Amino acid sequence: MSLILPVLLLGLMASLSPATIVVFVLVLGTARARVNAAAFLTGWVLSLTVVFTASYAVAASGTTERGDGRTSVAVLETLLGAGLLWFGARRWSRRATDPPGSPDPAGSSRGTQRLVSRMANLTPLGAATVGVLKQPWALTSAAALVVVRDQVSLVVVAVAFAVFTVASTATVAGMFGYYARRPGDAQVRLAMLRDRVVRAGPAVWAAVAVLVGTVLLVDGLLALT
């Protein structure tokens, strides 16, 4: 299976994180929306770069020192895929047992209101910090592991990193671009998007987790054969 496909899917999974979407919409609702959103994206990309580079360096050094390093990385990828399948199935099961229309506990209306109040006076430094913390480190590390396992050239590593960066940043970057062009209309529509994500987030996250988990599981098993 192509190296780029699992990296792309991991990036899309990071991009579709309901928590990240909700938080970024709230950032766009602050008094200094443009500056804070730019700071959030700066923190996000910086965190992504550091985590990906560090994970790649550690995993690559391990494969160099141990002859079975490639197999170990493939095993980790397989376990990660199985874990995502379990997580997705569990999340879907929990979603199915909730009463119709009930909000996601992690993004409930009450929780959203608390976030709104906390972020009312958000500064650029605070927004950058939120971007660092909201960047999904586990998925970024997983993407680096997939690249290490294939033992590709540095050029291919750079391409894979670029693909993951673009895919994982696409949603927040798209919202920022929309807000920059049409701030008035964007405020209303993004608020509606936030409410929809709060309601549908568990189901979307479960579906994406199952999809990505399946790809990683199959890719890891193929690497072990």
Side-chain angles (χ1 to χ4, degrees):
M1 187 177 296
S2 171
L3 163 68
I4 298 301
L5 180 58
V7 171
L8 175 62
L9 288 175
L10 285 168
L12 291 176
M13 185 176 182
S15 183
L16 294 173
S17 168
T20 300
I21 294 173
V22 169
V23 169
F24 191 70
V25 171
L26 294 178
V27 170
L28 290 174
T30 58
R32 304 173 65 183
R34 291 175 186 265
V35 177
N36 286 339
F40 179 98
L41 286 170
T42 300
W44 172 283
V45 174
L46 177 62
S47 178
L48 184 156
T49 303
V50 171
V51 172
F52 187 97
T53 302
S55 300
Y56 178 86
V58 171
S61 64
T63 58
T64 301
E65 294 171 1
R66 301 188 309 272
D68 61 344
R70 188 175 185 276
T71 300
S72 300
V73 173
V75 169
L76 287 175
E77 183 184 2
T78 302
L79 292 175
L80 175 63
L84 285 174
L85 281 173
W86 174 84
F87 171 80
R90 183 171 180 269
R91 198 65 185 268
W92 182 265
S93 176
R94 288 176 55 187
R95 170 260 179 199
T97 56
D98 287 338
S102 64
D104 175 25
S108 64
S109 298
R110 185 180 304 174
T112 301
Q113 291 304 318
R114 284 199 298 267
L115 279 174
V116 171
S117 62
R118 289 177 183 175
M119 299 179 71
N121 300 314
L122 188 68
T123 64
L125 179 59
T129 303
V130 173
V132 170
L133 297 177
K134 279 299 173 184
Q135 210 289 317
W137 299 339
L139 294 177
T140 302
S141 296
L145 285 177
V146 171
V147 176
V148 170
R149 189 214 64 205
D150 278 35
Q151 297 180 341
V152 293
S153 66
L154 289 180
V155 173
V156 179
V157 172
V159 171
F161 172 74
V163 168
F164 180 80
T165 301
V166 171
S168 64
T169 313
T171 298
V172 289
M175 289 192 292
F176 185 33
Y178 178 43
Y179 178 87
R181 291 195 308 271
R182 305 176 64 180
D185 186 46
Q187 285 283 13
V188 177
R189 293 185 179 276
L190 289 177
M192 294 172 59
L193 172 64
R194 181 195 68 196
D195 293 338
R196 289 177 181 174
V197 168
V198 167
R199 292 192 298 269
V204 172
W205 192 241
V208 173
V210 169
L211 173 62
V212 176
T214 300
V215 172
L216 291 178
L217 180 62
V218 172
D219 192 45
L221 290 174
L222 288 176
L224 291 172
T225 57

mmCIF file of all heavy atoms in Angstrom, residues 94-146:
data_model
loop_
_atom_site.group_PDB
_atom_site.id
_atom_site.type_symbol
_atom_site.label_atom_id
_atom_site.label_comp_id
_atom_site.label_asym_id
_atom_site.label_seq_id
_atom_site.Cartn_x
_atom_site.Cartn_y
_atom_site.Cartn_z
ATOM 1 N N ARG A 94 -21.258 4.116 22.140
ATOM 2 C CA ARG A 94 -21.684 5.100 23.128
ATOM 3 C C ARG A 94 -22.627 6.115 22.510
ATOM 4 O O ARG A 94 -23.588 6.544 23.120
ATOM 5 C CB ARG A 94 -20.464 5.823 23.710
ATOM 6 C CG ARG A 94 -19.627 4.964 24.643
ATOM 7 C CD ARG A 94 -18.401 5.703 25.103
ATOM 8 N NE ARG A 94 -18.738 6.971 25.726
ATOM 9 C CZ ARG A 94 -17.836 7.875 26.095
ATOM 10 N NH1 ARG A 94 -16.533 7.635 25.882
ATOM 11 N NH2 ARG A 94 -18.199 9.005 26.667
ATOM 12 N N ARG A 95 -22.346 6.473 21.260
ATOM 13 C CA ARG A 95 -23.204 7.431 20.565
ATOM 14 C C ARG A 95 -24.582 6.846 20.345
ATOM 15 O O ARG A 95 -25.603 7.505 20.495
ATOM 16 C CB ARG A 95 -22.539 7.800 19.239
ATOM 17 C CG ARG A 95 -23.422 8.607 18.282
ATOM 18 C CD ARG A 95 -24.002 7.705 17.220
ATOM 19 N NE ARG A 95 -24.879 8.457 16.310
ATOM 20 C CZ ARG A 95 -25.784 7.881 15.530
ATOM 21 N NH1 ARG A 95 -25.931 6.561 15.559
ATOM 22 N NH2 ARG A 95 -26.546 8.601 14.736
ATOM 23 N N ALA A 96 -24.640 5.528 20.025
ATOM 24 C CA ALA A 96 -25.916 4.881 19.732
ATOM 25 C C ALA A 96 -26.801 4.768 20.970
ATOM 26 O O ALA A 96 -28.025 4.706 20.859
ATOM 27 C CB ALA A 96 -25.670 3.484 19.150
ATOM 28 N N THR A 97 -26.201 4.724 22.158
ATOM 29 C CA THR A 97 -26.981 4.569 23.378
ATOM 30 C C THR A 97 -27.416 5.906 23.962
ATOM 31 O O THR A 97 -28.202 5.935 24.905
ATOM 32 C CB THR A 97 -26.158 3.822 24.455
ATOM 33 O OG1 THR A 97 -24.939 4.529 24.687
ATOM 34 C CG2 THR A 97 -25.845 2.409 23.989
ATOM 35 N N ASP A 98 -26.917 7.042 23.412
ATOM 36 C CA ASP A 98 -27.325 8.348 23.904
ATOM 37 C C ASP A 98 -28.732 8.673 23.416
ATOM 38 O O ASP A 98 -29.122 8.259 22.320
ATOM 39 C CB ASP A 98 -26.367 9.445 23.394
ATOM 40 C CG ASP A 98 -25.041 9.387 24.112
ATOM 41 O OD1 ASP A 98 -25.011 8.833 25.226
ATOM 42 O OD2 ASP A 98 -24.057 9.895 23.548
ATOM 43 N N PRO A 99 -29.497 9.424 24.177
ATOM 44 C CA PRO A 99 -30.812 9.850 23.721
ATOM 45 C C PRO A 99 -30.685 10.711 22.475
ATOM 46 O O PRO A 99 -29.693 11.420 22.308
ATOM 47 C CB PRO A 99 -31.343 10.682 24.904
ATOM 48 C CG PRO A 99 -30.536 10.247 26.071
ATOM 49 C CD PRO A 99 -29.197 9.870 25.534
ATOM 50 N N PRO A 100 -31.663 10.667 21.575
ATOM 51 C CA PRO A 100 -31.598 11.472 20.359
ATOM 52 C C PRO A 100 -31.423 12.953 20.683
ATOM 53 O O PRO A 100 -32.115 13.501 21.530
ATOM 54 C CB PRO A 100 -32.956 11.206 19.690
ATOM 55 C CG PRO A 100 -33.397 9.891 20.242
ATOM 56 C CD PRO A 100 -32.884 9.842 21.642
ATOM 57 N N GLY A 101 -30.481 13.560 19.989
ATOM 58 C CA GLY A 101 -30.249 14.988 20.160
ATOM 59 C C GLY A 101 -29.390 15.355 21.343
ATOM 60 O O GLY A 101 -29.105 16.523 21.587
ATOM 61 N N SER A 102 -28.982 14.356 22.117
ATOM 62 C CA SER A 102 -28.148 14.684 23.269
ATOM 63 C C SER A 102 -26.761 15.079 22.808
ATOM 64 O O SER A 102 -26.222 14.502 21.876
ATOM 65 C CB SER A 102 -28.047 13.480 24.212
ATOM 66 O OG SER A 102 -27.396 12.410 23.570
ATOM 67 N N PRO A 103 -26.142 16.075 23.437
ATOM 68 C CA PRO A 103 -24.832 16.551 22.988
ATOM 69 C C PRO A 103 -23.729 15.626 23.419
ATOM 70 O O PRO A 103 -23.881 14.827 24.338
ATOM 71 C CB PRO A 103 -24.701 17.920 23.693
ATOM 72 C CG PRO A 103 -25.535 17.766 24.927
ATOM 73 C CD PRO A 103 -26.675 16.844 24.554
ATOM 74 N N ASP A 104 -22.630 15.752 22.757
ATOM 75 C CA ASP A 104 -21.438 15.001 23.122
ATOM 76 C C ASP A 104 -20.958 15.491 24.478
ATOM 77 O O ASP A 104 -20.790 16.693 24.680
ATOM 78 C CB ASP A 104 -20.353 15.245 22.050
ATOM 79 C CG ASP A 104 -19.041 14.591 22.425
ATOM 80 O OD1 ASP A 104 -19.050 13.618 23.194
ATOM 81 O OD2 ASP A 104 -18.014 15.060 21.923
ATOM 82 N N PRO A 105 -20.699 14.583 25.443
ATOM 83 C CA PRO A 105 -20.242 15.022 26.747
ATOM 84 C C PRO A 105 -18.988 15.873 26.683
ATOM 85 O O PRO A 105 -18.777 16.763 27.491
ATOM 86 C CB PRO A 105 -19.976 13.700 27.492
ATOM 87 C CG PRO A 105 -20.857 12.716 26.814
ATOM 88 C CD PRO A 105 -20.900 13.137 25.380
ATOM 89 N N ALA A 106 -18.127 15.581 25.710
ATOM 90 C CA ALA A 106 -16.872 16.342 25.599
ATOM 91 C C ALA A 106 -17.087 17.711 24.978
ATOM 92 O O ALA A 106 -16.219 18.570 25.034
ATOM 93 C CB ALA A 106 -15.855 15.554 24.772
ATOM 94 N N GLY A 107 -18.227 17.920 24.349
ATOM 95 C CA GLY A 107 -18.466 19.211 23.699
ATOM 96 C C GLY A 107 -19.872 19.691 23.950
ATOM 97 O O GLY A 107 -20.529 20.176 23.052
ATOM 98 N N SER A 108 -20.396 19.475 25.146
ATOM 99 C CA SER A 108 -21.760 19.836 25.485
ATOM 100 C C SER A 108 -21.944 21.341 25.431
ATOM 101 O O SER A 108 -20.996 22.117 25.428
ATOM 102 C CB SER A 108 -22.108 19.331 26.887
ATOM 103 O OG SER A 108 -21.296 19.965 27.839
ATOM 104 N N SER A 109 -23.201 21.764 25.388
ATOM 105 C CA SER A 109 -23.496 23.190 25.345
ATOM 106 C C SER A 109 -22.937 23.892 26.574
ATOM 107 O O SER A 109 -22.398 24.994 26.494
ATOM 108 C CB SER A 109 -25.020 23.384 25.274
ATOM 109 O OG SER A 109 -25.536 22.804 24.105
ATOM 110 N N ARG A 110 -23.052 23.241 27.735
ATOM 111 C CA ARG A 110 -22.516 23.827 28.954
ATOM 112 C C ARG A 110 -20.999 23.972 28.856
ATOM 113 O O ARG A 110 -20.421 24.994 29.226
ATOM 114 C CB ARG A 110 -22.887 22.964 30.154
ATOM 115 C CG ARG A 110 -22.461 23.558 31.493
ATOM 116 C CD ARG A 110 -22.850 22.646 32.635
ATOM 117 N NE ARG A 110 -24.266 22.348 32.627
ATOM 118 C CZ ARG A 110 -24.851 21.479 33.441
ATOM 119 N NH1 ARG A 110 -24.107 20.783 34.299
ATOM 120 N NH2 ARG A 110 -26.157 21.273 33.387
ATOM 121 N N GLY A 111 -20.352 22.920 28.336
ATOM 122 C CA GLY A 111 -18.900 22.976 28.178
ATOM 123 C C GLY A 111 -18.488 24.037 27.176
ATOM 124 O O GLY A 111 -17.484 24.726 27.356
ATOM 125 N N THR A 112 -19.275 24.182 26.101
ATOM 126 C CA THR A 112 -18.971 25.205 25.100
ATOM 127 C C THR A 112 -19.076 26.592 25.701
ATOM 128 O O THR A 112 -18.249 27.463 25.439
ATOM 129 C CB THR A 112 -19.931 25.072 23.903
ATOM 130 O OG1 THR A 112 -19.797 23.765 23.331
ATOM 131 C CG2 THR A 112 -19.613 26.113 22.838
ATOM 132 N N GLN A 113 -20.100 26.810 26.521
ATOM 133 C CA GLN A 113 -20.258 28.118 27.156
ATOM 134 C C GLN A 113 -19.090 28.425 28.088
ATOM 135 O O GLN A 113 -18.641 29.575 28.169
ATOM 136 C CB GLN A 113 -21.582 28.162 27.932
ATOM 137 C CG GLN A 113 -22.816 28.158 27.039
ATOM 138 C CD GLN A 113 -22.806 29.305 26.038
ATOM 139 O OE1 GLN A 113 -22.455 30.433 26.375
ATOM 140 N NE2 GLN A 113 -23.166 29.014 24.800
ATOM 141 N N ARG A 114 -18.603 27.416 28.777
ATOM 142 C CA ARG A 114 -17.440 27.627 29.649
ATOM 143 C C ARG A 114 -16.220 28.026 28.811
ATOM 144 O O ARG A 114 -15.443 28.893 29.207
ATOM 145 C CB ARG A 114 -17.142 26.365 30.460
ATOM 146 C CG ARG A 114 -18.100 26.141 31.611
ATOM 147 C CD ARG A 114 -17.499 25.188 32.634
ATOM 148 N NE ARG A 114 -17.237 23.873 32.066
ATOM 149 C CZ ARG A 114 -18.095 22.855 32.123
ATOM 150 N NH1 ARG A 114 -19.269 23.007 32.722
ATOM 151 N NH2 ARG A 114 -17.792 21.687 31.594
ATOM 152 N N LEU A 115 -16.061 27.350 27.670
ATOM 153 C CA LEU A 115 -14.940 27.697 26.797
ATOM 154 C C LEU A 115 -15.063 29.116 26.272
ATOM 155 O O LEU A 115 -14.075 29.847 26.183
ATOM 156 C CB LEU A 115 -14.877 26.713 25.618
ATOM 157 C CG LEU A 115 -14.208 25.368 25.876
ATOM 158 C CD1 LEU A 115 -14.366 24.468 24.660
ATOM 159 C CD2 LEU A 115 -12.735 25.551 26.197
ATOM 160 N N VAL A 116 -16.287 29.518 25.916
ATOM 161 C CA VAL A 116 -16.513 30.877 25.409
ATOM 162 C C VAL A 116 -16.077 31.906 26.444
ATOM 163 O O VAL A 116 -15.390 32.886 26.123
ATOM 164 C CB VAL A 116 -17.994 31.075 25.028
ATOM 165 C CG1 VAL A 116 -18.271 32.547 24.717
ATOM 166 C CG2 VAL A 116 -18.361 30.223 23.825
ATOM 167 N N SER A 117 -16.470 31.685 27.694
ATOM 168 C CA SER A 117 -16.120 32.641 28.748
ATOM 169 C C SER A 117 -14.610 32.671 28.995
ATOM 170 O O SER A 117 -14.032 33.732 29.239
ATOM 171 C CB SER A 117 -16.867 32.296 30.042
ATOM 172 O OG SER A 117 -16.483 31.009 30.516
ATOM 173 N N ARG A 118 -13.967 31.510 28.938
ATOM 174 C CA ARG A 118 -12.520 31.460 29.177
ATOM 175 C C ARG A 118 -11.732 32.148 28.064
ATOM 176 O O ARG A 118 -10.664 32.707 28.288
ATOM 177 C CB ARG A 118 -12.062 30.014 29.295
ATOM 178 C CG ARG A 118 -12.515 29.315 30.575
ATOM 179 C CD ARG A 118 -12.073 27.870 30.570
ATOM 180 N NE ARG A 118 -12.545 27.155 31.749
ATOM 181 C CZ ARG A 118 -12.378 25.857 31.942
ATOM 182 N NH1 ARG A 118 -11.730 25.133 31.039
ATOM 183 N NH2 ARG A 118 -12.843 25.268 33.036
ATOM 184 N N MET A 119 -12.254 32.070 26.829
ATOM 185 C CA MET A 119 -11.516 32.589 25.680
ATOM 186 C C MET A 119 -11.918 34.008 25.310
ATOM 187 O O MET A 119 -11.456 34.542 24.298
ATOM 188 C CB MET A 119 -11.714 31.649 24.477
ATOM 189 C CG MET A 119 -11.212 30.244 24.733
ATOM 190 S SD MET A 119 -11.464 29.124 23.342
ATOM 191 C CE MET A 119 -10.280 29.757 22.163
ATOM 192 N N ALA A 120 -12.780 34.622 26.123
ATOM 193 C CA ALA A 120 -13.255 35.969 25.801
ATOM 194 C C ALA A 120 -12.099 36.957 25.692
ATOM 195 O O ALA A 120 -12.105 37.843 24.833
ATOM 196 C CB ALA A 120 -14.262 36.427 26.856
ATOM 197 N N ASN A 121 -11.117 36.844 26.560
ATOM 198 C CA ASN A 121 -9.975 37.764 26.564
ATOM 199 C C ASN A 121 -8.697 37.083 26.069
ATOM 200 O O ASN A 121 -7.602 37.381 26.550
ATOM 201 C CB ASN A 121 -9.763 38.315 27.979
ATOM 202 C CG ASN A 121 -10.970 39.070 28.495
ATOM 203 O OD1 ASN A 121 -11.546 39.899 27.781
ATOM 204 N ND2 ASN A 121 -11.382 38.785 29.727
ATOM 205 N N LEU A 122 -8.831 36.206 25.106
ATOM 206 C CA LEU A 122 -7.690 35.446 24.593
ATOM 207 C C LEU A 122 -6.668 36.365 23.944
ATOM 208 O O LEU A 122 -7.013 37.253 23.158
ATOM 209 C CB LEU A 122 -8.177 34.407 23.573
ATOM 210 C CG LEU A 122 -7.152 33.388 23.079
ATOM 211 C CD1 LEU A 122 -6.756 32.445 24.202
ATOM 212 C CD2 LEU A 122 -7.737 32.592 21.906
ATOM 213 N N THR A 123 -5.393 36.154 24.259
ATOM 214 C CA THR A 123 -4.300 36.911 23.659
ATOM 215 C C THR A 123 -3.643 36.071 22.563
ATOM 216 O O THR A 123 -3.834 34.853 22.507
ATOM 217 C CB THR A 123 -3.243 37.260 24.724
ATOM 218 O OG1 THR A 123 -2.667 36.034 25.216
ATOM 219 C CG2 THR A 123 -3.864 38.034 25.870
ATOM 220 N N PRO A 124 -2.855 36.684 21.678
ATOM 221 C CA PRO A 124 -2.150 35.900 20.658
ATOM 222 C C PRO A 124 -1.265 34.810 21.243
ATOM 223 O O PRO A 124 -1.203 33.703 20.710
ATOM 224 C CB PRO A 124 -1.332 36.959 19.910
ATOM 225 C CG PRO A 124 -2.127 38.214 20.071
ATOM 226 C CD PRO A 124 -2.718 38.138 21.446
ATOM 227 N N LEU A 125 -0.572 35.122 22.352
ATOM 228 C CA LEU A 125 0.258 34.104 22.984
ATOM 229 C C LEU A 125 -0.599 32.950 23.500
ATOM 230 O O LEU A 125 -0.235 31.777 23.349
ATOM 231 C CB LEU A 125 1.055 34.716 24.137
ATOM 232 C CG LEU A 125 1.958 33.752 24.927
ATOM 233 C CD1 LEU A 125 2.974 33.108 24.002
ATOM 234 C CD2 LEU A 125 2.646 34.481 26.074
ATOM 235 N N GLY A 126 -1.728 33.276 24.086
ATOM 236 C CA GLY A 126 -2.641 32.237 24.551
ATOM 237 C C GLY A 126 -3.180 31.414 23.394
ATOM 238 O O GLY A 126 -3.307 30.189 23.495
ATOM 239 N N ALA A 127 -3.496 32.074 22.273
ATOM 240 C CA ALA A 127 -3.999 31.359 21.095
ATOM 241 C C ALA A 127 -2.940 30.421 20.535
ATOM 242 O O ALA A 127 -3.243 29.295 20.124
ATOM 243 C CB ALA A 127 -4.439 32.361 20.031
ATOM 244 N N ALA A 128 -1.688 30.880 20.504
ATOM 245 C CA ALA A 128 -0.593 30.026 20.036
ATOM 246 C C ALA A 128 -0.427 28.820 20.949
ATOM 247 O O ALA A 128 -0.196 27.692 20.473
ATOM 248 C CB ALA A 128 0.705 30.824 19.969
ATOM 249 N N THR A 129 -0.571 29.037 22.248
ATOM 250 C CA THR A 129 -0.472 27.925 23.201
ATOM 251 C C THR A 129 -1.589 26.924 22.986
ATOM 252 O O THR A 129 -1.365 25.704 23.022
ATOM 253 C CB THR A 129 -0.526 28.459 24.647
ATOM 254 O OG1 THR A 129 0.534 29.405 24.834
ATOM 255 C CG2 THR A 129 -0.374 27.333 25.648
ATOM 256 N N VAL A 130 -2.800 27.425 22.738
ATOM 257 C CA VAL A 130 -3.931 26.534 22.456
ATOM 258 C C VAL A 130 -3.661 25.730 21.187
ATOM 259 O O VAL A 130 -3.957 24.535 21.108
ATOM 260 C CB VAL A 130 -5.238 27.343 22.313
ATOM 261 C CG1 VAL A 130 -6.376 26.444 21.843
ATOM 262 C CG2 VAL A 130 -5.609 27.990 23.639
ATOM 263 N N GLY A 131 -3.076 26.379 20.173
ATOM 264 C CA GLY A 131 -2.736 25.677 18.939
ATOM 265 C C GLY A 131 -1.739 24.556 19.172
ATOM 266 O O GLY A 131 -1.872 23.463 18.601
ATOM 267 N N VAL A 132 -0.749 24.811 20.025
ATOM 268 C CA VAL A 132 0.231 23.777 20.360
ATOM 269 C C VAL A 132 -0.448 22.597 21.056
ATOM 270 O O VAL A 132 -0.202 21.425 20.733
ATOM 271 C CB VAL A 132 1.348 24.355 21.260
ATOM 272 C CG1 VAL A 132 2.231 23.237 21.818
ATOM 273 C CG2 VAL A 132 2.193 25.348 20.476
ATOM 274 N N LEU A 133 -1.317 22.899 22.010
ATOM 275 C CA LEU A 133 -1.956 21.843 22.804
ATOM 276 C C LEU A 133 -3.014 21.080 22.020
ATOM 277 O O LEU A 133 -3.238 19.887 22.272
ATOM 278 C CB LEU A 133 -2.585 22.466 24.064
ATOM 279 C CG LEU A 133 -1.602 23.120 25.046
ATOM 280 C CD1 LEU A 133 -2.358 23.762 26.194
ATOM 281 C CD2 LEU A 133 -0.607 22.096 25.565
ATOM 282 N N LYS A 134 -3.675 21.752 21.077
ATOM 283 C CA LYS A 134 -4.737 21.089 20.314
ATOM 284 C C LYS A 134 -4.191 20.252 19.154
ATOM 285 O O LYS A 134 -4.912 19.440 18.582
ATOM 286 C CB LYS A 134 -5.735 22.130 19.783
ATOM 287 C CG LYS A 134 -6.759 22.569 20.811
ATOM 288 C CD LYS A 134 -7.591 21.393 21.256
ATOM 289 C CE LYS A 134 -8.518 21.735 22.398
ATOM 290 N NZ LYS A 134 -9.255 20.536 22.874
ATOM 291 N N GLN A 135 -2.953 20.466 18.777
ATOM 292 C CA GLN A 135 -2.367 19.650 17.705
ATOM 293 C C GLN A 135 -2.328 18.194 18.184
ATOM 294 O O GLN A 135 -1.810 17.902 19.255
ATOM 295 C CB GLN A 135 -0.955 20.155 17.409
ATOM 296 C CG GLN A 135 -0.503 19.971 15.982
ATOM 297 C CD GLN A 135 -0.237 18.516 15.635
ATOM 298 O OE1 GLN A 135 0.364 17.791 16.412
ATOM 299 N NE2 GLN A 135 -0.692 18.093 14.483
ATOM 300 N N PRO A 136 -2.897 17.262 17.409
ATOM 301 C CA PRO A 136 -2.970 15.859 17.855
ATOM 302 C C PRO A 136 -1.622 15.154 17.758
ATOM 303 O O PRO A 136 -1.269 14.572 16.741
ATOM 304 C CB PRO A 136 -3.994 15.247 16.889
ATOM 305 C CG PRO A 136 -3.893 16.074 15.654
ATOM 306 C CD PRO A 136 -3.555 17.467 16.113
ATOM 307 N N TRP A 137 -0.866 15.192 18.832
ATOM 308 C CA TRP A 137 0.492 14.646 18.845
ATOM 309 C C TRP A 137 0.523 13.155 18.513
ATOM 310 O O TRP A 137 1.441 12.680 17.843
ATOM 311 C CB TRP A 137 1.138 14.888 20.203
ATOM 312 C CG TRP A 137 1.267 16.327 20.568
ATOM 313 C CD1 TRP A 137 1.247 17.395 19.707
ATOM 314 C CD2 TRP A 137 1.438 16.886 21.869
ATOM 315 N NE1 TRP A 137 1.397 18.567 20.392
ATOM 316 C CE2 TRP A 137 1.509 18.298 21.724
ATOM 317 C CE3 TRP A 137 1.534 16.347 23.148
ATOM 318 C CZ2 TRP A 137 1.678 19.156 22.807
ATOM 319 C CZ3 TRP A 137 1.707 17.202 24.235
ATOM 320 C CH2 TRP A 137 1.776 18.590 24.064
ATOM 321 N N ALA A 138 -0.457 12.403 18.993
ATOM 322 C CA ALA A 138 -0.456 10.954 18.761
ATOM 323 C C ALA A 138 -0.566 10.642 17.267
ATOM 324 O O ALA A 138 0.152 9.767 16.747
ATOM 325 C CB ALA A 138 -1.607 10.297 19.518
ATOM 326 N N LEU A 139 -1.445 11.344 16.561
ATOM 327 C CA LEU A 139 -1.600 11.105 15.124
ATOM 328 C C LEU A 139 -0.368 11.576 14.357
ATOM 329 O O LEU A 139 0.042 10.948 13.374
ATOM 330 C CB LEU A 139 -2.847 11.829 14.612
ATOM 331 C CG LEU A 139 -4.180 11.313 15.152
ATOM 332 C CD1 LEU A 139 -5.335 12.168 14.636
ATOM 333 C CD2 LEU A 139 -4.401 9.853 14.769
ATOM 334 N N THR A 140 0.229 12.674 14.797
ATOM 335 C CA THR A 140 1.443 13.173 14.141
ATOM 336 C C THR A 140 2.594 12.179 14.316
ATOM 337 O O THR A 140 3.341 11.900 13.370
ATOM 338 C CB THR A 140 1.831 14.541 14.726
ATOM 339 O OG1 THR A 140 0.745 15.452 14.559
ATOM 340 C CG2 THR A 140 3.053 15.101 14.026
ATOM 341 N N SER A 141 2.731 11.632 15.513
ATOM 342 C CA SER A 141 3.767 10.622 15.757
ATOM 343 C C SER A 141 3.509 9.366 14.932
ATOM 344 O O SER A 141 4.448 8.751 14.405
ATOM 345 C CB SER A 141 3.806 10.263 17.249
ATOM 346 O OG SER A 141 4.173 11.372 18.027
ATOM 347 N N ALA A 142 2.227 8.994 14.805
ATOM 348 C CA ALA A 142 1.886 7.820 14.003
ATOM 349 C C ALA A 142 2.274 8.023 12.545
ATOM 350 O O ALA A 142 2.779 7.106 11.884
ATOM 351 C CB ALA A 142 0.394 7.526 14.116
ATOM 352 N N ALA A 143 2.047 9.225 12.019
ATOM 353 C CA ALA A 143 2.437 9.515 10.635
ATOM 354 C C ALA A 143 3.943 9.380 10.460
ATOM 355 O O ALA A 143 4.426 8.841 9.450
ATOM 356 C CB ALA A 143 1.976 10.919 10.251
ATOM 357 N N ALA A 144 4.707 9.862 11.439
ATOM 358 C CA ALA A 144 6.169 9.736 11.370
ATOM 359 C C ALA A 144 6.590 8.278 11.400
ATOM 360 O O ALA A 144 7.518 7.868 10.685
ATOM 361 C CB ALA A 144 6.804 10.505 12.531
ATOM 362 N N LEU A 145 5.912 7.457 12.203
ATOM 363 C CA LEU A 145 6.240 6.033 12.276
ATOM 364 C C LEU A 145 6.003 5.342 10.942
ATOM 365 O O LEU A 145 6.781 4.480 10.524
ATOM 366 C CB LEU A 145 5.399 5.358 13.367
ATOM 367 C CG LEU A 145 5.799 5.627 14.815
ATOM 368 C CD1 LEU A 145 4.818 4.947 15.757
ATOM 369 C CD2 LEU A 145 7.214 5.137 15.088
ATOM 370 N N VAL A 146 4.904 5.711 10.282
ATOM 371 C CA VAL A 146 4.608 5.114 8.974
ATOM 372 C C VAL A 146 5.725 5.434 7.977
ATOM 373 O O VAL A 146 6.160 4.579 7.201
ATOM 374 C CB VAL A 146 3.250 5.626 8.442
ATOM 375 C CG1 VAL A 146 3.043 5.196 6.991
ATOM 376 C CG2 VAL A 146 2.115 5.099 9.301
#
